[in-house]
Amino acid sequence: MRKHIFIMFISLFIVLMFGCGQESMTSTTAKGKEKNVTIRIGIQQSLGPLLLAKEKGWFEKELEKEGVHVKWIEFQSGPPHFEAMASNNLDFGVVGNSPVIAAQAANIEFKEISKAAEGLKGDAIIVPQGSKINSLKDLKGKKIAVAKGSSGFNFLYEALQHAGLKASEVEMIQLQPDEAQAAFDTHKVDAWAIWEPFISYEVIKNKARIVADGEDLQAYSPSFIVARTGFIKEHPDLTVQFLKIYEKALRWQNDHFNEAAEIYAKVKKLDKDVVLRALRNNPSLNEPITDDIIQAQQKTADFQYAQHIIKTKINTSKVVDNQYIKQVFQELEKEGENKHE
């Protein structure tokens, strides 16, 4: 009986060991490449390389041949990206300056792995055609649509401070872009704090007027490629590959600007002139995050803390991780050298 039990125990042990070995092998190929991994990419309504790569299927083409699956998740604005990251349901995204500050203050585990735009003209406060609002001071007592926690939200606060107004002196109507656009077009709000391409659409199609943008206030509203910390620690090679594919899309966009604009226009059902204006107002980038941008972010974070928008004082440099984008350019440079040998 004991011998029988002993044999059963040994058999079970072998089965478990073999099963564990099989499971671990499914995570890599013979060459050590990762398999059975799903990259979840967040995308919003902005125009740029991420949308281009999605339409071209470049992430799927480059990653799925290695057994890495790609899943796209659509969001209306930046803050929901971080809600998804906090619950481990999102790995990458492109977001504006304010959402990353709110996420850092909330202790969400993420890193800024690349600068995606400078953002001087990426945000603005606009008013409908015929509005009597001619300056920021005229916003006093008015209804302003804005997505809470977005880059437009932060820009609105900065604009009010610039005009010597308090947040309590205006009525903020917190709406996501699709709802805000409907409210703006039907004059249910007096103004809208928003980003591209909504700015260009309203200016060109509906004769809206820009009261102020970031260039007027000399206020940076940079965008960043962000990644969930757990993912990049577990999959550093895939993080580099993600940025490489993004860089491929950016270079293609720059080299085929009109064709890229046509693709965006078709996908988003926008006129090409709207797309061209939006792209020129907020050029896409894929670069290491500079000290100037970190300082601009710190200024924004300190401002938000003083305004009680965030409850924790933060050091914005703590979420910056340039190692992956630097590796991308090192590898691309080496690949270029090899082509010329």
Side-chain angles (χ1 to χ4, degrees), residues 7-226:
I7 291 172
M8 287 180 62
F9 175 80
I10 293 297
S11 300
L12 179 60
F13 179 78
I14 291 171
V15 168
L16 288 173
M17 287 297 292
F18 181 78
C20 291
Q22 285 292 94
E23 185 177 354
S24 64
M25 285 179 68
T26 60
S27 65
T28 60
T29 66
K31 294 182 180 180
K33 292 183 179 180
E34 294 162 280
K35 289 181 67 69
N36 293 338
V37 175
T38 298
I39 288 184
R40 288 114 8 129
I41 307 171
I43 190 165
Q44 32 181 326
Q45 298 183 37
S46 302
L47 308 176
L50 198 61
L51 177 58
L52 180 64
K54 179 178 184 291
E55 291 304 308
K56 292 283 188 179
W58 284 333
F59 283 103
E60 290 82 356
K61 181 180 178 182
E62 296 296 327
L63 297 174
E64 290 188 351
K65 63 187 178 185
E66 300 178 13
V68 178
H69 306 289
V70 178
K71 181 179 180 181
W72 295 91
I73 305 173
E74 294 190 9
F75 298 98
Q76 281 282 314
S77 60
H81 281 69
F82 291 105
E83 294 173 15
M85 281 190 178
S87 58
N88 293 332
N89 289 317
L90 187 70
D91 304 308
F92 294 99
V94 179
V95 299
N97 64 332
S98 192
V100 297
I101 288 170
Q104 185 180 355
N107 292 316
I108 294 172
E109 292 292 325
F110 75 98
K111 293 293 182 184
E112 299 168 0
I113 59 173
S114 174
K115 177 177 68 176
E118 295 279 4
L120 265 179
K121 297 185 75 171
D123 291 274
I125 295 173
I126 59 176
V127 295
Q129 183 183 24
S131 172
K132 294 181 180 180
I133 298 172
N134 296 306
S135 70
L136 292 173
K137 289 183 181 296
D138 295 336
L139 292 173
K140 185 175 181 179
K142 304 300 184 184
K143 293 181 179 179
I144 307 171
V146 64
K148 185 177 181 180
S150 67
S151 61
F153 183 75
N154 179 75
F155 181 73
L156 175 57
Y157 267 83
E158 290 199 35
L160 293 175
Q161 185 189 52
H162 185 84
L165 296 175
K166 296 178 182 178
S168 59
E169 293 183 282
V170 301
E171 185 178 352
M172 293 189 193
I173 310 298
Q174 295 177 5
L175 299 171
Q176 290 296 319
D178 57 346
E179 300 168 319
Q181 187 166 33
F184 184 81
D185 291 344
T186 55
H187 294 208
K188 291 181 180 177
V189 294
D190 302 299
W192 186 13
I194 190 57
W195 53 86
E196 290 289 7
F198 297 99
I199 300 166
S200 290
Y201 178 85
E202 292 296 337
V203 167
I204 291 176
K205 302 300 292 183
N206 294 326
K207 308 300 183 202
R209 198 161 30 81
I210 295 174
V211 177
D213 60 24
E215 192 171 50
D216 295 325
L217 306 185
Q218 284 301 294
Y220 280 102
S221 295
S223 298
F224 303 94
I225 298 177
V226 295

Side-chain angles (χ1 to χ4, degrees), residues 113 243 288 321-331:
I113 59 173
L243 289 172
D321 192 343
N322 281 322
Q323 64 171 306
Y324 304 102
I325 188 62
K326 288 180 177 178
Q327 186 177 337
V328 165
F329 290 124
Q330 289 171 358
E331 292 184 8

